[in-house]
Amino acid sequence: QYQREPQLAFEQIFMGERPDEENIKQTLETLVSDPASDLNTLGERSFLPPQLRLSRPDAINNVFGRGFFEQISQLPPGIWGGPVQSTYGIHLVRTLDGISAELPPLEEIRETVVKDWRNSKALEKREQDYSQRRARYSVEIIRDKTPPAAVQ
């Protein structure tokens, strides 16, 4: 409940909806052999951002489509990889930075934990009180066996 979400920063090259496998292979080779390549000259133009700063999974998936974060989180950091499928098509991706999911030290979240604990105890006490009050009563439902008079 208190764990921080992972985050990734990355850059991407959009290769198109259905790029040729040879084109993907050649582009990857270019990126590996010449890391200083002008990324604007590779791939196809799109309205997708060529680079994202450290972002949470939901933010990345909101831009590129469900499951994109999971795919790029499997890539080795700092190395161009792919192809990666998005809602829009195929991408080559290089992760630049990342923060793994972690549980922060208690000192950082103590206030929130104590507040949640108090709320939980208050709810527990209310439910216990209601249960004790309900136990003192008996509810009986008596149904009239005669059918209601016809509506005129």
Side-chain angles (χ1 to χ4, degrees):
Q1 179 177 340
Y2 302 101
Q3 182 170 315
R4 290 185 185 139
E5 286 189 281
Q7 295 182 40
L8 281 176
F10 66 95
E11 54 189 345
Q12 62 87 25
I13 297 171
F14 180 63
M15 298 302 296
E17 287 184 44
R18 293 185 188 89
D20 181 81
E21 286 185 33
E22 188 58 35
N23 187 17
I24 293 172
K25 183 180 171 189
Q26 287 176 352
T27 305
L28 269 174
E29 286 174 3
T30 300
L31 292 166
V32 170
S33 65
D34 183 14
S37 298
D38 181 5
L39 302 183
N40 294 321
T41 64
L42 302 171
E44 293 186 12
R45 291 181 176 225
S46 78
F47 290 110
L48 295 167
Q51 190 176 76
L52 277 184
R53 292 183 281 176
L54 280 173
S55 302
R56 294 189 168 128
D58 57 345
I60 292 171
N61 288 337
N62 284 342
V63 175
F64 291 91
R66 182 183 296 166
F68 195 81
F69 178 88
E70 289 74 20
Q71 292 180 73
I72 66 172
S73 67
Q74 304 303 313
L75 297 174
I79 300 170
W80 282 98
V84 178
Q85 179 73 47
S86 77
T87 300
Y88 308 101
I90 302 296
H91 306 260
L92 298 178
V93 178
R94 176 170 59 178
T95 57
L96 303 171
D97 194 8
I99 298 173
S100 58
E102 66 181 7
L103 187 61
L106 181 59
E107 295 78 39
E108 289 182 24
I109 58 172
R110 179 180 305 279
E111 220 175 279
T112 304
V113 171
V114 168
K115 178 182 159 199
D116 290 348
W117 178 80
R118 285 182 177 146
N119 288 340
S120 173
K121 285 299 179 186
L123 178 62
E124 188 179 302
K125 183 157 178 54
R126 278 194 305 270
E127 288 174 358
Q128 185 179 30
D129 182 55
Y130 174 74
S131 181
Q132 287 173 349
R133 288 173 190 259
R134 188 182 64 212
R136 293 188 289 181
Y137 294 92
S138 165
V139 176
E140 192 176 320
I141 299 174
I142 303 173
R143 299 192 188 273
D144 188 5
K145 302 228 190 269
T146 58
V151 179
Q152 296 182 11

